Amino acid sequence: MTFPTDWEAEKMAVLDNQPGHEAALDALHQAANAAGDVHGTERMWQQMLRLFVSNKLAVASLVYVIAVVLFCFVGPFFYHSNQTDASASIFHVNLPPQKGFPLGTDYMGFDILGRLMFAGQSSLELGFLAAIISLVVGVGYGVFSGYVGGWIDSLLMRFVDVMLSIPGLFLLLATISLFGRSKVLLILVLGLTGWFGDARLLRGEAIALRDREFAQAVRAMGGGSGRIIWRHILPNTVSTMMTVSTFALAGSILALTSLGFLGLGIPLPETDWGTMIQFGSDNFQIGCWWQVYPVCGLFLVLIISFNYIGDAMRDMFEVRLRER
Amino acid sequence: MTILSIKNLRTSFAMRAADVVAVDGVSIDIAAGECVGIVGESGCGKTTTGLSIMRLLPKNGQVSGGQIFFDGKDLATLSEKEMRSVRGNSIALIPQDPMTSLNPVMRIGDQIAEGYIIHRGASKEEARQRALEVLRMVEMPMPEERLNQFPHELSGGLRQRVMIAMALVCEPKVLIADEPTTALDVTIQAQILDILDGLREKLNMAVILITHDMGVIASRTDRVVVMYAGKVVEEADTKTVFTRMNHPYTQALLASVPKIDNITGGRLLSIPGLPPDLSKTIVGCRFAPRCTYATDQCRTSEPAIQDAGQGHAFACFNPTNGPAAVDVQINTARKAIDATKPLLTVSNLVKEFPIRGANIFRRTGLKVSAVADVTFEVREGETFGLVGESGCGKTTIGRLITGLEEITSGDISFAGTNVDGLSKGARRRALARNRQMMFQDPYASLDPRKRVGDIIREPLEIQKTLSRKDMDERVDQLLHEVGLPLAAAERYPHEFSGGQRQRVGLARSLALEPKLVIADEPVSALDVSIQAQILNLMQDLQEARGLSYILISHDLAVVRYIAHRIGVMYLGKLVEVGPAEEVFSAPRHHYTQGLLNAVPSADVEGSRERRGGQIQGELPSAANPPSGCRFRTRCPAATDICANEEPKMQEISNGHTVACHFPLEAAVTIRSAQ
Amino acid sequence: MMIGYFFRRILQGILVLIGVSFMTFLLPSLMGGNIARFVLGPHATPQALKEFLHSHGLDLPFYLQYYHYMLNLFHGNLGFSTNPGTLDVSVWTVIYPYLPRTLWLVIISLLFSTVISVVIGLFQGIKRNSFFDHSMTFLIFLLYSFPAFLFSLVTIIVFSLTLHWFPPSIDQPTANGFFSPLVQMWNYPGQFVLPLATLTVLGIGGLTRFMRGSILETMVQDYVRTARAKGCSPNRVLFRHAFRNAVLPVITILGLSLPALFGGALITERIFNYPGMGQLTVASTNVRDVPVVMGLTLMVTVATVLGNLFADLGIAIADPRIRLTGKR
């Protein structure tokens, strides 16, 4: 969970701490100064890509995320295991790693390695869909509120204040206690409770951009609000949106896993990483370490990777902002 | 007696790409009680020189060569601890922006007293007494109360007085004033500079006045050092620099400054090109690429600084002698204007902004009266200058005319345009076709994600009056007209310099071929040499297209240079309107006169004498403007009637109106001729 | 002026609370008549359902229901539990014993994390780009990314199951007073080390990053240069001029970090088996005891809003700009 207001202050915090960045930053500065014949934005994107690539840890993080996605979705084609038939699995409960079960089995006898993929699919799917919902709602709400301004903005933002004062997990639990938890409901609940911070951030950007002289110029030349929002404000928030969406994805996967850990994850026969961790940790005391370590490690590194990618993107765009 | 002696100072900044040598071999001697001006455009190294003396450079900067002798010691070699006993004690600094230079959470008295406690070991009470004393020295109104106030309770002008008081608390021998008045309005600037002048004499301090403003240099300094791209190019006493300069850069710089008491209508000299990139190695004279006198010698070897006697030195192979000749032939074009047909009529315009409380449930009911009952007209083919200090409402008027703000009451009508009965969008488009806006900030006014061609094309796309092919042609033609290569259309704004971006902005505002362009401070973000390019371009386009401009500016010299008629605003009111020449030579309103007096002229001869009084005090709040005449609180001629009755606009001579109960006499010259 | 600011700020807080209470009213009412079916079970007769709705005022028009809800709220009546174990016990009676436990966990860990963050952030800011700074930044980044449940799990595995330094859970409290959690902490500090550490670390992640950024930003301000130009020593510049300005925005962040902290407390309580608001929320969610969950949500939000209010008032006292003009 990030604080909405530390955006500004953090840019220095991270920027100054990656010595490996320097060379790439150089290139970017020079590119911005020199007036070449190449198209500016294409070069900008190339430069940013190079900046990102120069950040070894960020690349490693991205590779890891891709690897996890492939593992979950492509893995089952190569590694077959029973994940649904509880009556068949009942004969090998809580087995340690051994031939046939490289990572052992869980309390219901399902193979852990296959379970990681199986649970990962739903965790990633749900996280992804929820992040999209929260991004769309958050961006739409924030940009609209900021652009319109006045009392409508005050009202809309008071609502965001209200929702931000309710601790996220409590809000999640409250809605789940009301509506129950199916896969679709979980997506909706996660998506619709996760966008308040994004809305506030995007609102700030929209206000700043709306008051910039180039937006004023459009108004002075007879352009309407639609043009200002679609052609000028939204394209200028793309960088923010990319960063926000990375954190949103991490956030919704994390929230889902927390729910699972609290025993409120995706109901059986499906499962998710959080639920796996919950049952694993219950069995840890009887020595079933293999039910905890793999899934925790996989998940933890995934969250760290997402955060690192988000940070790296934020740096990249900060540099670009300074070149404006 | 030389008190501070800089020898071959070299300061470099470690940038990511390369080391930038911001100051390269600068030598300056400063005598006690003397005021030395360092002048140059942005990036010339003048501020860095000042900070190098104080050793207050940013972390990536360092003095990499040379000596700074002060009091028998080389400041460049002192330990940090020894240096601390110099800072604020014998050398003090007045920074540029008083709004950000005071600690917001510390009382003013404590901030001033701090230096005295550190350097003199004074007790708290002694330091407080001393703080009070220096506040009196800087003529701070109500000094006792100020001690306990916080910075946000003071206006910019008063804060700068606090900064000066803070610098003076230990009676330093050298005072470095880095653009001390740039952030202030011109009437406040005059007050601050007067205080500095007086204190310099009284305390026999040496003052290093760093500024880009030739007017301030001309009126306040004894000696001038002209810097260009990190080097001193010329140094002499002030009069010599202005009348018998030897360096082409000095000559060009002066010729590109619009002068307030110049004959209206001359063409400004502009310096082509941009200053060099200091991160690269430069061969030859640094000014050579922009110099009209440059020869092959200039391009291959660097001229050393040479002594011309009487303290005059310069670095040039082909020295000039005196100011550039005035180009007279352009004057004719301006006379040809037949400005009688009104194009835009503004009548009884009022704009009030409600002051809102912290949330929607608390309306204060207070209003800021930004524009109060303003009436004027703009004629076809003329430039109407709107001048006044910050907060006078001039920008709001511009925004009202372009429809960026809603009118509270009053009327703006445009000749030959009837927008009644049109839908909101259609009305906006119709208005946009005859009036366009040129913005102040060349960095903020162009969308960084759009190509220049698309930026210029956008108004055409909104209006949908041209075919795609015609649009392309129009864009090419506009680029050509504003002096940009056609290839610029494919580039992005960040690839251009400030002046070039302002050209793009002008091209965009002309795309719809409007009859009126409202230019809000179009050159105030640019250096003088670039300023001249844009102003000349604006004039050329006016001639070619028969355009009208409303030029909104705080810079009276710029307005004088380009405007045919002028309106002077004060606190939301138009106080005087008239032909430019007349308003400048024979102002009728006391405010106009005070404003003109406050502007330092970039001309040594004229600037030392004053034609009359100076405006005292601070600008009242627009949320609670004075009754009657809004200027009365600062007016030397104010009487009871001014408080009770609001003066009406009255015509004093042909086309010259003024709102004052006691207008000034017509020009002194006329009376003496009788 | 400050009175005016306080007043406005308190009013704002009340508005937020009214908004939240509206949400806690609105959400259950979205379920409409289903709630009766849910409470009475699938075999209830239509007559019984109708009576249930009538006796709970659920057949009234929407605005009247809200009116009654608010009226009850003002009398401290949050409704009645639908949990079979505590059926028809008033929500307040059910949740009251749990409130102080969570509250004290959060307050104490917030104190720890504030002190630690300010000190680390300050040193990082001064010794910028040093080895200390880099290693701290990396460490803080890891902590920042560590989900609360994983962190607690790791601490239990390491410090309790492997090293046996601290117990893996907290004893069930025996007293229900407001200060009894403090008494319990005083008597059995070992049991609280791991949960408090988890919550503290949760706060440190964000706060330190913010503090470091804030001090760096402050050190390049013009007024810091002014202080140096006066001849102030580095320590004087830092503590007399930069520190206060840098810490002010951190106070706001403290308030804003409360929701995340309460969320963290929910998970920590669950792991360490401590009967606080979080554990009650999870338990009640499992049996879909809606009134209790809503009551808890309302209470935790009241705590957050109060926290934010205190933070803002703290800033108002510390920052003369707000103290004197009511705005920044």
Side-chain angles (χ1 to χ4, degrees):
Chain A
M1 316 211 166
T2 50
F3 302 115
T5 41
D6 60 358
W7 191 263
E8 260 302 301
E10 274 190 2
K11 74 183 176 200
M12 290 194 275
V14 195
L15 252 186
D16 292 315
N17 269 302
Q18 279 138 21
H21 255 46
E22 299 265 312
L25 280 169
D26 275 350
L28 195 66
H29 279 262
Q30 278 169 348
N33 289 335
D37 292 301
V38 203
H39 294 171
T41 290
E42 282 160 33
R43 210 182 52 223
M44 251 353 201
W45 285 109
Q46 282 170 5
Q47 286 299 329
M48 264 186 282
L49 193 68
R50 203 190 307 170
L51 188 61
F52 188 85
V53 169
S54 79
N55 187 344
K56 294 286 183 301
L57 270 173
V59 175
S61 304
L62 189 64
V63 168
Y64 181 78
V65 170
I66 294 171
V68 169
V69 171
L70 290 178
F71 169 76
C72 295
F73 289 95
V74 183
F77 291 109
F78 300 97
Y79 181 81
H80 304 280
S81 63
N82 166 33
Q83 295 298 336
T84 43
D85 187 359
S87 57
S89 66
I90 201 101
F91 303 108
H92 20 74
V93 168
N94 288 342
L95 293 181
Q98 55 189 265
K99 198 161 185 286
F101 302 107
L103 291 176
T105 63
D106 69 1
Y107 76 106
M108 293 209 297
F110 292 124
D111 174 61
I112 295 274
L113 182 61
R115 199 91 183 140
L116 276 177
M117 303 172 185
F118 183 65
Q121 285 180 8
S122 25
S123 288
L124 290 173
E125 273 170 22
L126 257 68
F128 183 72
L129 292 173
I132 285 187
I133 292 179
S134 91
L135 193 70
V136 169
V137 177
V139 169
Y141 192 96
V143 168
F144 175 78
S145 177
Y147 183 80
V148 172
W151 66 270
I152 298 180
D153 175 47
S154 306
L155 201 71
L156 292 179
M157 280 303 124
R158 283 299 87 79
F159 174 69
V160 168
D161 283 349
V162 167
M163 297 316 280
L164 277 175
S165 319
I166 308 177
L169 263 180
F170 280 82
L171 188 60
L172 275 178
L173 292 187
T175 32
I176 287 173
S177 77
L178 281 170
F179 302 112
R181 49 190 172 97
S182 70
K183 225 172 163 181
V184 176
L185 276 174
L186 277 173
I187 293 175
L188 284 176
V189 165
L190 282 173
L192 293 178
T193 54
W195 55 269
F196 308 113
D198 303 349
R200 194 183 256 183
L201 193 68
L202 264 297
R203 167 190 178 256
E205 291 242 324
I207 288 180
L209 288 168
R210 178 196 68 187
D211 293 341
R212 285 283 284 276
E213 284 181 350
F214 64 75
Q216 304 270 310
V218 178
R219 195 149 278 278
M221 60 181 83
S225 299
R227 172 174 280 269
I228 296 178
I229 292 178
W230 286 103
R231 306 264 180 106
H232 295 275
I233 292 184
L234 284 177
N236 275 291
T237 55
V238 163
S239 47
T240 310
M241 281 196 266
M242 285 181 64
T243 320
V244 162
S245 55
T246 310
F247 287 123
L249 193 54
S252 56
I253 293 177
L254 177 59
L256 179 71
T257 311
S258 302
L259 281 182
F261 181 76
L262 294 172
L264 296 166
I266 302 172
L268 283 167
E270 293 190 68
T271 190
D272 60 282
W273 286 329
T275 311
M276 281 182 76
I277 295 174
Q278 187 220 349
F279 288 117
S281 61
D282 284 348
N283 278 353
F284 189 85
Q285 310 225 10
I286 59 165
C288 297
W289 54 267
W290 60 89
Q291 293 181 6
V292 176
Y293 289 148
V295 60
C296 283
L298 177 96
F299 174 72
L300 180 63
V301 179
L302 185 71
I303 290 296
I304 291 178
S305 298
F306 269 125
N307 277 337
Y308 200 84
I309 294 171
D311 274 1
M313 284 211 291
R314 189 182 296 183
D315 295 354
M316 246 162 40
F317 295 127
E318 281 300 336
V319 173
R320 207 182 58 77
L321 281 177
R322 278 190 277 169
E323 297 297 342
R324 269 186 197 167
Chain B
M1 186 199 81
T2 302
I3 180 160
L4 181 72
S5 172
I6 303 167
K7 298 252 181 281
N8 265 321
L9 179 70
R10 189 182 149 92
T11 303
S12 47
F13 289 95
M15 301 297 254
R16 291 191 158 104
D19 275 10
V20 172
V21 183
V23 174
D24 195 358
V26 164
S27 302
I28 305 171
D29 287 336
I30 295 128
E34 181 186 37
C35 182
V36 175
I38 302 184
V39 72
E41 295 177 276
S42 52
C44 73
K46 54 189 194 299
T47 294
T48 308
T49 306
L51 292 179
S52 301
I53 300 170
M54 295 288 282
R55 290 215 353 226
L56 283 175
L57 294 164
K59 278 219 166 109
N60 62 339
Q62 62 154 348
V63 175
S64 50
Q67 296 94 36
I68 305 162
F69 288 109
F70 173 78
D71 213 4
K73 290 170 291 194
D74 179 3
L75 297 184
T77 59
L78 288 187
S79 74
E80 183 55 31
K81 201 173 166 212
E82 288 167 316
M83 192 62 215
R84 279 210 299 275
S85 65
V86 175
R87 279 185 210 134
N89 189 12
S90 34
I91 305 181
L93 175 78
I94 301 174
Q96 171 169 358
D97 190 352
M99 304 309 277
T100 57
S101 296
L102 285 164
N103 188 341
V105 299
M106 206 167 162
R107 285 178 203 281
I108 280 163
D110 295 337
Q111 297 197 48
I112 298 175
E114 193 175 17
Y116 206 63
I117 295 174
I118 295 172
H119 296 296
R120 299 289 148 90
S123 73
K124 269 204 158 150
E125 191 44 44
E126 285 165 358
R128 199 179 165 79
Q129 284 307 316
R130 174 64 186 163
L132 192 61
E133 203 179 315
V134 284
L135 275 181
R136 291 210 175 94
M137 272 161 70
V138 297
E139 295 163 36
M140 175 69 86
M142 300 183 291
E144 289 90 351
E145 288 164 41
R146 305 296 177 196
L147 289 177
N148 287 323
Q149 284 185 318
F150 287 95
H152 70 267
E153 298 174 72
L154 305 185
S155 68
L158 293 187
R159 287 194 209 189
Q160 196 59 301
R161 287 178 200 230
V162 173
M163 294 307 302
I164 297 173
M166 208 188 291
L168 290 179
V169 75
C170 291
E171 300 204 356
K173 300 200 182 78
V174 179
L175 189 63
I176 301 170
D178 186 0
E179 305 265 13
T181 55
T182 307
L184 305 174
D185 270 321
V186 60
T187 55
I188 308 294
Q189 162 171 304
Q191 294 172 8
I192 296 291
L193 291 175
D194 281 348
I195 291 169
L196 270 180
D197 264 358
L199 289 169
R200 172 167 65 97
E201 270 165 42
K202 202 159 124 196
L203 305 173
N204 197 30
M205 282 185 303
V207 173
I208 302 176
L209 188 61
I210 297 167
T211 180
H212 70 283
D213 186 333
M214 298 307 284
V216 171
I217 289 284
S219 58
R220 305 287 171 169
T221 59
D222 303 319
R223 216 146 54 77
V224 183
V225 174
V226 183
M227 287 186 69
Y228 183 77
K231 295 228 172 225
V232 172
V233 293
E234 186 156 16
E235 179 185 351
D237 64 88
T238 306
K239 194 172 174 191
T240 307
V241 163
F242 279 82
T243 55
R244 291 189 293 108
M245 74 286 274
N246 284 132
H247 199 284
Y249 176 66
T250 317
Q251 186 195 41
L253 190 64
L254 277 168
S256 59
V257 180
K259 289 171 197 69
I260 193 157
D261 30 19
N262 217 8
I263 314 141
T264 316
R267 194 177 172 80
L268 290 178
L269 187 127
S270 62
I271 311 176
L274 296 168
D277 180 352
L278 293 179
S279 63
K280 305 209 168 71
T281 336
I282 300 159
V283 182
C285 173
R286 299 182 171 205
F287 187 57
R290 304 174 74 189
C291 182
T292 39
Y293 309 98
T295 60
D296 285 345
Q297 187 191 14
C298 304
R299 284 183 270 270
T300 49
S301 58
E302 197 181 334
I305 198 138
Q306 50 181 298
D307 199 351
Q310 294 163 329
H312 187 177
F314 61 91
C316 183
F317 293 122
N318 307 303
T320 61
N321 196 7
V326 180
D327 193 350
V328 280
Q329 50 188 330
I330 311 293
N331 284 338
T332 48
R334 294 192 39 129
K335 291 199 185 99
I337 290 161
D338 172 30
T340 49
K341 268 168 73 187
L343 180 70
L344 176 88
T345 314
V346 172
S347 33
N348 304 102
L349 191 65
V350 174
K351 177 68 187 176
E352 288 169 348
F353 294 102
I355 303 177
R356 280 234 252 129
N359 64 52
I360 47 171
F361 294 94
R362 190 173 167 278
R363 281 185 203 280
T364 52
L366 289 175
K367 276 174 278 189
V368 171
S369 163
V371 177
D373 196 12
V374 165
T375 301
F376 67 92
E377 62 176 33
V378 179
R379 298 164 191 165
E380 264 179 40
E382 78 165 354
T383 301
F384 183 78
L386 212 47
V387 299
E389 295 174 282
S390 57
C392 73
K394 54 188 193 302
T395 294
T396 308
I397 287 189
R399 293 174 61 86
L400 288 167
I401 294 172
T402 32
L404 292 176
E405 300 279 358
E406 297 283 331
I407 298 171
T408 305
S409 74
D411 187 50
I412 297 171
S413 70
F414 204 90
T417 314
N418 188 1
V419 293
D420 295 341
L422 290 178
S423 73
K424 210 176 159 198
R427 177 180 307 182
R428 209 168 45 225
R429 283 194 292 278
L431 290 178
R433 277 196 289 275
N434 49 40
R435 61 190 87 160
Q436 273 299 315
M437 187 109 181
M438 187 177 166
F439 290 92
Q440 170 175 5
D441 185 347
Y443 294 88
S445 60
L446 307 178
D447 188 337
R449 290 192 164 267
K450 289 214 175 316
R451 290 186 190 148
V452 163
D454 295 332
I455 289 171
I456 300 174
R457 193 196 318 260
E458 187 161 25
L460 300 170
E461 276 178 359
I462 291 170
Q463 299 286 348
K464 298 189 186 78
T465 46
L466 293 179
S467 69
R468 197 141 274 284
K469 195 168 145 275
D470 288 345
M471 281 190 202
D472 289 342
E473 269 171 31
R474 177 76 65 84
V475 170
D476 286 354
Q477 179 210 336
L478 284 164
L479 282 172
H480 176 73
E481 273 188 75
V482 298
L484 289 172
L486 293 188
E490 293 300 312
R491 304 251 187 90
Y492 285 83
H494 68 83
E495 300 175 59
F496 294 91
S497 69
Q500 287 169 325
R501 291 186 204 207
Q502 213 55 325
R503 285 171 193 266
V504 175
L506 188 53
R508 174 178 60 187
S509 59
L510 293 177
L512 295 175
E513 309 194 314
K515 294 203 182 83
L516 176 67
V517 171
I518 293 129
D520 188 356
E521 304 274 8
V523 293
S524 59
L526 307 174
D527 269 322
V528 271
S529 66
I530 313 293
Q531 227 177 45
Q533 295 173 7
I534 300 295
L535 290 175
N536 286 338
L537 177 67
M538 284 176 70
Q539 275 199 339
D540 292 347
L541 288 167
Q542 178 167 51
E543 267 169 51
R545 292 169 165 252
L547 273 176
S548 296
Y549 289 116
I550 294 180
L551 179 75
I552 297 165
S553 180
H554 70 285
D555 188 334
L556 289 146
V558 164
V559 174
R560 157 132 231 202
Y561 164 68
I562 194 173
H564 301 97
R565 288 196 310 130
I566 283 178
V568 183
M569 288 195 70
Y570 182 79
L571 212 60
K573 290 268 178 196
L574 203 54
V575 296
E576 184 166 5
V577 181
E581 257 110 306
E582 229 177 284
V583 172
F584 276 96
S585 60
R588 296 304 192 87
H589 198 281
H590 296 275
Y591 176 64
T592 316
Q593 165 131 54
L595 203 57
L596 288 169
N597 286 343
V599 180
S601 166
D603 179 359
V604 266
E605 307 294 339
S607 63
R608 303 270 156 152
E609 56 194 88
R610 286 244 173 73
R611 277 166 295 187
Q614 202 188 336
I615 301 179
Q616 300 297 334
E618 302 273 319
L619 191 72
S621 157
N624 183 21
S627 65
C629 173
R630 290 190 173 185
F631 183 58
R632 70 176 163 84
T633 52
R634 301 169 79 189
C635 182
T639 63
D640 287 348
I641 189 176
C642 301
N644 299 326
E645 210 174 297
E646 193 182 323
K648 295 269 171 297
M649 263 289 187
Q650 47 180 320
E651 185 148 0
I652 281 215
S653 64
N654 191 22
H656 191 164
T657 54
V658 61
C660 180
H661 291 299
F662 308 102
L664 288 157
E665 298 284 312
V668 188
T669 44
I670 298 172
R671 268 203 309 191
S672 60
Q674 284 172 344
Chain C
M1 282 314 248
M2 189 158 64
I3 305 287
Y5 174 80
F6 277 21
F7 182 72
R8 276 206 308 280
R9 196 57 199 76
I10 290 169
L11 201 74
Q12 239 172 11
I14 292 174
L15 278 176
V16 169
L17 287 180
I18 291 177
V20 174
S21 66
F22 184 68
M23 292 304 295
T24 54
F25 162 77
L26 185 75
L27 281 176
S29 72
L30 287 179
M31 274 178 82
N34 294 343
I35 193 148
R37 168 77 63 192
F38 184 77
V39 171
L40 300 180
H43 304 299
T45 60
Q47 183 61 30
L49 288 175
K50 214 170 167 188
E51 264 170 27
F52 178 87
L53 287 181
H54 185 73
S55 65
H56 287 78
L58 292 172
D59 53 349
L60 292 171
F62 181 75
Y63 62 94
L64 270 182
Q65 284 190 41
Y66 184 57
Y67 173 75
H68 288 301
Y69 175 83
M70 289 308 281
L71 209 62
N72 281 329
L73 214 55
F74 276 114
H75 291 97
N77 184 355
L78 296 165
F80 298 94
S81 168
T82 60
N83 184 347
T86 52
L87 194 62
D88 284 340
V89 178
S90 98
V91 168
W92 178 251
T93 318
V94 174
I95 66 178
Y96 172 73
Y98 296 82
L99 301 183
R101 298 177 192 144
T102 304
L103 213 56
W104 285 116
L105 269 191
V106 167
I107 290 176
I108 290 176
S109 62
L110 192 64
L111 279 178
F112 282 140
S113 51
T114 308
V115 173
I116 296 173
S117 303
V118 166
V119 171
I120 296 181
L122 188 68
F123 273 102
Q124 275 190 290
I126 313 166
K127 306 273 176 217
R128 186 167 155 206
N129 289 333
S130 62
F131 175 74
F132 173 79
D133 183 21
H134 288 301
S135 44
M136 264 305 161
T137 304
F138 191 69
L139 185 67
I140 297 293
F141 174 77
L142 286 185
L143 295 181
Y144 181 75
S145 308
F146 233 112
F149 65 88
L150 276 188
F151 191 82
S152 335
L153 215 57
V154 171
T155 50
I156 289 188
I157 289 175
V158 174
F159 294 105
S160 155
L161 300 182
T162 313
L163 296 171
H164 302 289
W165 287 359
F166 306 107
S169 65
I170 302 173
D171 292 345
Q172 290 306 299
T174 47
N176 290 339
F178 185 74
F179 293 102
S180 43
L182 280 182
V183 176
Q184 196 186 355
M185 278 183 213
W186 183 257
N187 291 336
Y188 307 97
Q191 298 180 356
F192 286 88
V193 168
L194 294 185
L196 280 177
T198 305
L199 283 179
T200 305
V201 161
L202 194 69
I204 285 181
L207 279 177
T208 311
R209 277 163 75 124
F210 188 84
M211 180 65 196
R212 178 181 182 271
S214 184
I215 196 87
L216 285 181
E217 204 175 345
T218 311
M219 290 304 276
V220 296
Q221 293 297 314
D222 284 350
Y223 55 79
V224 169
R225 190 181 64 183
T226 306
R228 292 176 62 211
K230 261 187 239 178
C232 292
S233 66
N235 276 338
R236 198 181 175 97
V237 170
L238 187 67
F239 290 108
R240 292 288 298 257
H241 293 272
F243 185 72
R244 199 158 152 206
N245 283 292
V247 163
L248 279 178
V250 175
I251 302 178
T252 315
I253 294 300
L254 280 182
L256 291 178
S257 68
L258 277 177
L261 222 53
F262 275 108
L266 188 149
I267 284 172
T268 318
E269 287 168 7
R270 162 93 180 170
I271 293 176
F272 293 96
N273 196 23
Y274 185 59
M277 292 163 85
Q279 210 179 41
L280 183 61
T281 312
V282 177
S284 305
T285 305
N286 271 323
V287 297
R288 300 183 72 173
D289 185 352
V290 174
V292 168
V293 174
M294 289 301 157
L296 284 165
T297 307
L298 193 61
M299 283 303 123
V300 84
T301 310
V302 169
T304 326
V305 171
L306 281 180
N308 277 320
L309 194 64
F310 284 134
D312 280 1
L313 300 188
I315 289 189
I317 291 166
D319 189 336
R321 282 164 294 186
I322 297 180
R323 189 163 73 220
L324 295 165
T325 62
K327 57 177 176 265
R328 213 183 314 206

